[in-house]
């Protein structure tokens, strides 16, 4: 193994899924194989619709009618659908509802055939976890990325596709802390507040929402959900609008059992949405892990 691979395997955490988790993790390839690739157009600002669907049998785009099925992709269909380049060579995403988009106005989504994709989970043969190593000052950062087919952040409201991750900071082959991405907030957690068993970090996936936490229990994350008027309209009339993550010990997912390097994945460059087009950014599939892999030294982090 290379040193990066060795570090990734040595420090791979153990994930605890909630015992009542309805949307279990799956491999990115499996999600692609159950999806169709749709071209999304934006005739008006902030309004999108399916323009064409990719036909995997012919390699052509079907513009008539645009709601044709064509599920069952191979990852090769995503080749060349990366981020677009701005005039100054910065990236423009091809995910609908991006702050800025490509000049050609073309966006793409992976639209899974199931409204709420999930997969069987076998602890002895789990889905892949994808690792990525980069410098963190003079230390080493190891990010572990995992994928869920659906995320439900409020009753009856969610989105297909859900990339989650945790990043460990390693100094002199020792864990010196971990960065947890929890919805719209990132938490820096020191070793004294982390749970280790036989030297392995224990982490916890929130039921249905899948945010990764470092402890069991009920959590009130910092979600700025109600600043968006469209989101308020979408949830109006629901019996409960409480935003709360719940973690508990259910199925155990040893992330080290099936580790794959993120940099080697053939789908990594796909710059569209990993999930169906929704009515807003919050209900549309997310951007992929590769586009979000780099640490931001200026990002606000809550110290735990």
């Amino acid at each position: 193994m290379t040193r990066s691979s060795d570090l990734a395997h040595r420090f791979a955490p153990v994930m605890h899924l909630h015992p009542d988790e309805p949307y279990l993790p799956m491999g990115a390839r499996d999600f692609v194989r159950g999806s169709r690739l749709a071209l999304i157009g934006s005739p008006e600002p902030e309004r999108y619709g399916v323009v064409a669907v990719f036909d995997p049998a012919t390699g052509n785009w079907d513009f008539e009618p645009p709601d044709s099925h064509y599920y069952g992709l191979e990852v090769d269909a995503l080749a060349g659908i990366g981020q677009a380049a701005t005039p100054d060579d910065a990236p423009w995403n091809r995910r609908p509802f991006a702050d800025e988009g490509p000049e050609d106005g073309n966006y793409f989504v992976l639209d899974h055939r199931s409204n709420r994709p999930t997969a069987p989970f076998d602890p002895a043969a789990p889905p892949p976890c994808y690792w990525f190593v980069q410098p963190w000052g003079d230390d080493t950062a190891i990010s572990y990325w995992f994928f869920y087919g659906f995320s439900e952040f409020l009753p009856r409201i969610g989105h297909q596709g859900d990339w989650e991750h945790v990043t460990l900071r390693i100094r002199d082959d020792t864990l010196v802390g971990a960065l947890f991405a929890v919805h719209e907030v990132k938490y820096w957690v020191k070793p004294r507040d982390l749970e280790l068993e036989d030297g392995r970090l224990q982490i916890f996936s929130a039921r249905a929402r899948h945010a990764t936490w470092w402890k069991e229990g009920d959590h009130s994350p910092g979600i700025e959900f109600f600043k968006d008027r469209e989101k308020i309209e979408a949830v109006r009339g629901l019996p409960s609008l409480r935003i709360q993550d719940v973690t508990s010990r259910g199925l155990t997912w040893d992330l080290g059992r099936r580790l794959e390097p993120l940099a080697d994945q053939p789908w990594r460059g796909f710059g569209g949405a990993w999930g169906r087009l929704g009515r807003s950014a919050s209900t549309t599939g997310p951007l992929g892990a590769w586009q979000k892999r780099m640490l931001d030294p200026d990002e606000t982090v809550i110290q735990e």
Side-chain angles (χ1 to χ4, degrees), residues 155-168:
R156 303 194 302 275
I157 297 178
H159 56 79
Q160 288 187 347
D162 187 16
W163 282 104
E164 301 287 349
H165 73 285
V166 61
T167 297
L168 279 56

Side-chain angles (χ1 to χ4, degrees), residues 50-129:
V50 175
V51 174
V53 180
F54 181 76
D55 182 349
T58 66
N60 298 322
W61 288 91
D62 187 350
F63 288 83
E64 187 68 39
D67 61 347
S68 300
H69 294 296
Y70 299 134
Y71 295 104
L73 294 172
E74 293 298 331
V75 293
D76 292 346
L78 306 182
I81 307 179
Q83 294 172 301
T86 67
D88 58 357
D89 289 330
W92 261 337
N93 299 327
R94 292 192 178 276
R95 175 184 179 265
F97 301 102
D99 292 335
E100 291 186 88
E103 292 180 344
D104 59 18
N106 291 333
Y107 302 85
F108 298 88
V109 301
L110 285 170
D111 181 348
H112 198 278
R113 60 163 53 94
S114 172
N115 286 334
R116 299 185 173 213
T118 185
F121 184 86
D122 180 358
C129 170

Side-chain angles (χ1 to χ4, degrees), residues 206-225:
R207 182 190 181 278
R209 296 194 184 101
H210 304 139
T212 305
W213 292 84
W214 57 97
K215 55 188 175 182
E216 293 182 78
D218 296 348
H219 315 282
S220 296
I223 299 179
E224 298 180 355
F225 187 87

